[in-house]
Amino acid sequence: MFNRNRNRCLRQLATITSISLVAGCGVLSSDASHDDGPIVVGTTSAPSTLDPAASWDGSWELFRNIYQTLLSYPNGAVEPGPDAAECKFTDAANRTYSCRLRDDMTFSDGDKLDAQAVKYSIDRIRKIAVAGGPAGLLGSLERVQVLSDREVVFHLNKSDATFPFVLATPAMSIVDPDDYPADALRKDGRVTGSGPYSLGSYEEGKQAQLVRNDRYKGFADRKNDAVTIRYFQDSAQMVDALRDKDIDVTFRGLAASDIVSLQGQDPDEGIQLIEGAGTEISYLVFNPKDPWAAKPAVRKAIAQVIDRPVIAHKIYKDTVEPLYSMVPKGLTGHTVGFFDDYGAPSSSKARQILLEAGINERVPLTFWYTTDRYGSETAPEFRELKSQLEDSGLFTVTLKSRPWKTYEEGYRKGEYPVFGRGWFPDFPDAENFIAPFVGEDNALGTPYPAPHITNNLLPESRRETDRGAVVKQFEEAQQILVDDARLLPLWQGKQYVAASEDISGGEVALDPSTIMTMWELYRKTSW
C-alpha cells in the first residue's frame, strides 16, 4: 500500500513507554554489541512454510530476514527503495518497470544471483500458483524479461503504480534456481537466500536460528551477528520467558492482558514496552454459499447489532481500536462507513432490517475462528460476538474452531458460513485492504464479484503514482463494501514490542508492513 500521504511514516513506532528506568542508573550507551551470543526473539507467529512461492501469510516475518527482495524499505522509508536492485518505471503509463541488480551478487551458498534468478523466482510463483499464495499479488504482471546479467524488466498488462510495493513484499524473495524446483515447492526444510542472515537451523513450530550471511549485499546495517527466533503457543508463555530472561524481545502476539500487565509493572522488572500505531485489522467474512449468510439483510442486521467499542474495551483492554472500514485509520482513503450507515448498535433497528426482508425467526449461524493464529483473545472475542448477537433475540450462534492449518483449508473449501480473519498489510496502501478481498480469486477463498471495484476503481487508482490523489476511488470502493456487508471490520490493532532493558533497536525494527527487521536489534554495551 503506497502512501497516500507520502511525507508521513504511517507505521513508524511513535511512542515509547519505558518501564525500565531505575533511579541512579547512568546513561545507556547506544553502541551495538556483537559479542554476547544471539539475541533471542519470541513470537506467536510461526511460519507455515519456508518457500516464498507458498506464502501469503505470517511466514513473511522470517522471510524478510533470510531472503532478499529487489526492493525493500531502507532506513524507515514508507515507500520502496533499493535492496538487491535499483528500479524505476520507464514509461508514463506505469506499465514497464526496470531493475538493475547490484554488482557481483551471490546467494548464501556462493551461487550467482543474477537477472535470470530473479525471473526464475517470479515465474515459479505464478507457475506453482499455490491456492491462496502470493501469485494473487502478480495479477498485473504480463511477463519478465532479462536484458543482461544485471538487468530485468517487468512488463505489466495494465497500469499499476503499486507494483513496486508488490516487489518489496517478502513473497517476491529471490531464490536459487539450483535449489528450488520450477514447478513445485521445495520440501527439504532448507533455505538458500541472499538476505542479511542465513538460516542456520530450523525446528518447525519451535525455533529458527539466524546467522550472519557474510555474502549479503544490501541496505541492511546489521547490528548483531545472530538471532534466534522462538515460537510460542500463547502470549503468557512468551511473557514468562521474557521475564525469566529466556528471551530478549517479543514482537508478535502479545495478549491484551499481558500488555496491560507490562504497562503497570514494577520498573525493577527491567522490561521496556514500545507502543506504536499499527494497521493490523480483524474482520468477519460472510460466505455467500451459506443460505443465511448469503442474505444481505442477515449481514446488515449483524452489522447493526455488533458493538465494537465493547469488544475493544472488554476483550482487548483498549489495546485495539474499533474499526468501521476495511481500510484502517492512518491510510489515505480511510472512512468510517459502517458507523455512518449504522450508527450505534441497535437490536430494534436490526429487527426491522430482518422483518423488511421477510425474516421473522431467529437466524441460525455458525461462526468459525482459528485457535492459534491471532492471539489468545480470539476465543473470548467470539464468545462476546455470540453473546451480543444472541442477546438481541435475533440470532442463534454456534461457535466452532480449528488450528490454523486446517482452518485455512476449511474456509478455502467454503465450509464456514461466517469466519474470522485478520490482516497484516502486504504494503502500506489502501489498495492492499481492498484488492485482496474482491474478485473471483481472492485471499479469502470465497469469490466476491465487485465489478465496479475491480474493473473501474482499482484500475483508476493504479494509474496514479501520487497515492494521495486517489482518495475518491478508495472512498467509493469502501462504500460498496459497506453496502454489501460481505466483510465486516471489527477492530484495528496497535503495535507493541516488549524487550529487556538492555536491548536497543525495538523502536525502529518494524518496517512499514510491521515486519520486524531483526538486524536493528542490539545489546547496549555499557551503563
Side-chain angles (χ1 to χ4, degrees):
M1 9 199 94
F2 282 62
N3 201 34
R4 7 23 224 71
N5 183 336
R6 312 256 201 189
N7 298 320
R8 228 169 44 188
C9 180
L10 297 177
R11 317 241 175 207
Q12 188 174 17
L13 291 173
T15 305
I16 302 177
T17 305
S18 176
I19 350 179
S20 61
L21 300 181
V22 182
C25 291
V27 177
L28 299 177
S29 166
S30 61
D31 295 335
S33 171
H34 298 274
D35 303 323
D36 298 321
I39 290 176
V40 183
V41 180
T43 176
T44 61
S45 181
S48 63
T49 177
L50 295 179
D51 192 329
S55 172
W56 196 352
D57 61 21
S59 304
W60 290 8
E61 302 275 15
L62 179 61
F63 293 174
R64 177 64 81 201
N65 293 278
I66 59 176
Y67 290 105
Q68 191 173 18
T69 45
L70 293 171
L71 301 171
S72 192
Y73 297 95
N75 305 317
V78 294
E79 294 183 15
D83 189 352
E86 291 189 353
C87 305
K88 64 180 179 180
F89 280 110
T90 57
D91 66 329
N94 294 331
R95 292 184 60 169
T96 306
Y97 198 66
S98 179
C99 295
R100 183 172 179 81
L101 291 166
R102 295 175 186 267
D103 195 22
D104 297 326
M105 295 194 70
T106 65
F107 291 100
S108 58
D109 63 357
D111 287 355
K112 185 177 182 179
L113 192 166
D114 57 12
Q116 285 289 353
V118 173
K119 173 177 168 59
Y120 183 92
S121 300
I122 303 300
D123 285 348
R124 75 183 289 267
I125 291 172
R126 298 203 295 172
K127 186 170 186 178
I128 298 172
V130 171
L137 291 168
L138 295 170
S140 64
L141 179 61
E142 182 175 299
R143 63 187 176 94
V144 186
Q145 179 186 20
V146 172
L147 298 183
S148 69
D149 274 0
R150 294 177 58 195
E151 294 178 284
V152 60
V153 179
F154 299 89
H155 298 277
L156 309 184
N157 53 35
K158 53 192 172 187
S159 298
D160 188 359
T162 69
F163 190 71
F165 290 82
V166 172
L167 289 183
T169 65
M172 303 300 138
S173 295
I174 307 166
V175 299
D176 189 340
D178 288 345
D179 296 326
Y180 291 78
D183 56 0
L185 297 177
R186 184 174 183 175
K187 298 185 183 300
D188 63 1
R190 301 175 64 185
V191 165
T192 313
S194 60
Y197 301 96
S198 298
L199 187 62
S201 66
Y202 180 73
E203 296 177 77
E204 184 175 356
K206 294 182 178 180
Q207 72 174 23
Q209 293 185 327
L210 314 187
V211 295
R212 188 183 185 92
N213 174 17
D214 292 331
R215 291 188 169 95
Y216 169 70
K217 288 187 176 182
F219 74 91
D221 178 15
R222 290 164 293 186
K223 297 180 173 63
N224 62 67
D225 288 329
V227 173
T228 297
I229 304 174
R230 286 184 54 191
Y231 301 111
F232 291 86
Q233 291 298 311
D234 59 56
S235 173
Q237 181 188 25
M238 183 168 65
V239 172
D240 284 345
L242 180 65
R243 286 181 163 136
D244 292 341
K245 303 189 183 305
D246 292 331
I247 63 174
D248 300 303
V249 183
T250 71
F251 80 102
R252 183 78 75 197
L254 282 173
S257 58
D258 290 317
I259 293 169
V260 172
S261 174
L262 289 169
Q263 288 170 336
Q265 71 174 315
D266 188 320
D268 288 339
E269 285 202 61
I271 297 174
Q272 54 182 319
L273 183 68
I274 304 164
E275 175 187 327
T279 49
E280 169 196 2
I281 69 169
S282 177
Y283 58 99
L284 295 177
V285 182
F286 293 90
N287 185 351
K289 296 178 182 178
D290 179 80
W292 285 108
K295 298 179 184 294
V298 169
R299 304 194 299 262
K300 293 178 180 181
I302 291 173
Q304 184 65 73
V305 168
I306 287 177
D307 194 327
R308 295 170 177 84
V310 165
I311 293 171
H313 179 70
K314 177 180 176 182
I315 306 300
Y316 288 94
K317 315 300 182 187
D318 299 317
T319 60
V320 304
E321 301 177 84
L323 182 64
Y324 297 94
S325 163
M326 289 298 290
V327 176
K329 184 172 65 175
L331 297 185
T332 294
H334 165 73
T335 69
V336 289
F338 276 94
F339 185 82
D340 291 340
D341 280 24
Y342 294 95
S346 171
S347 296
S348 60
K349 290 181 179 179
R351 184 182 302 276
Q352 189 61 33
I353 292 171
L354 294 173
L355 289 174
E356 289 176 357
I359 301 170
N360 54 15
E361 59 186 292
R362 271 186 179 257
V363 176
L365 284 170
T366 300
F367 279 42
W368 281 82
Y369 64 92
T370 180
T371 57
D372 59 353
R373 187 73 175 177
Y374 303 124
S376 56
E377 286 90 359
T378 304
E381 175 185 6
F382 272 75
R383 288 195 293 268
E384 175 62 23
L385 288 169
K386 171 182 169 71
S387 176
Q388 291 183 9
L389 292 170
E390 292 191 338
D391 287 351
S392 73
L394 304 174
F395 301 93
T396 299
V397 177
T398 301
L399 297 181
K400 292 188 178 181
S401 61
R402 287 176 177 170
W404 175 254
K405 283 196 172 182
T406 54
Y407 181 76
E408 184 181 26
E409 292 173 4
Y411 73 67
R412 294 200 182 284
K413 292 178 181 177
E415 295 178 3
Y416 311 150
V418 185
F419 59 96
R421 280 294 312 269
W423 187 254
F424 293 94
D426 302 326
F427 50 86
D429 189 272
E431 150 110 6
N432 194 236
F433 288 89
I434 295 175
F437 309 134
V438 295
E440 290 295 326
D441 184 19
N442 62 51
L444 302 173
T446 55
Y448 181 3
H452 187 51
I453 295 178
T454 56
N455 298 338
N456 300 303
L457 298 176
L458 289 176
E460 287 173 15
S461 74
R462 290 166 179 160
R463 288 194 288 269
E464 182 57 68
T465 303
D466 179 3
R467 305 305 289 167
V470 293
V471 173
K472 178 179 177 294
Q473 286 86 350
F474 287 128
E475 288 180 344
E476 189 173 345
Q478 287 172 88
Q479 188 56 50
I480 291 172
L481 299 183
V482 171
D483 292 342
D484 291 344
R486 282 275 307 271
L487 308 171
L488 189 61
L490 297 174
W491 52 260
Q492 172 178 350
K494 301 175 185 178
Q495 292 297 319
Y496 293 93
V497 174
S500 169
E501 62 185 351
D502 66 342
I503 296 293
S504 281
E507 68 277 6
V508 296
L510 295 183
D511 77 3
S513 54
T514 68
I515 291 174
M516 180 166 279
T517 53
M518 302 295 176
W519 58 83
E520 295 286 359
L521 302 172
Y522 61 93
R523 288 190 173 86
K524 302 165 187 174
T525 56
S526 63
W527 292 85

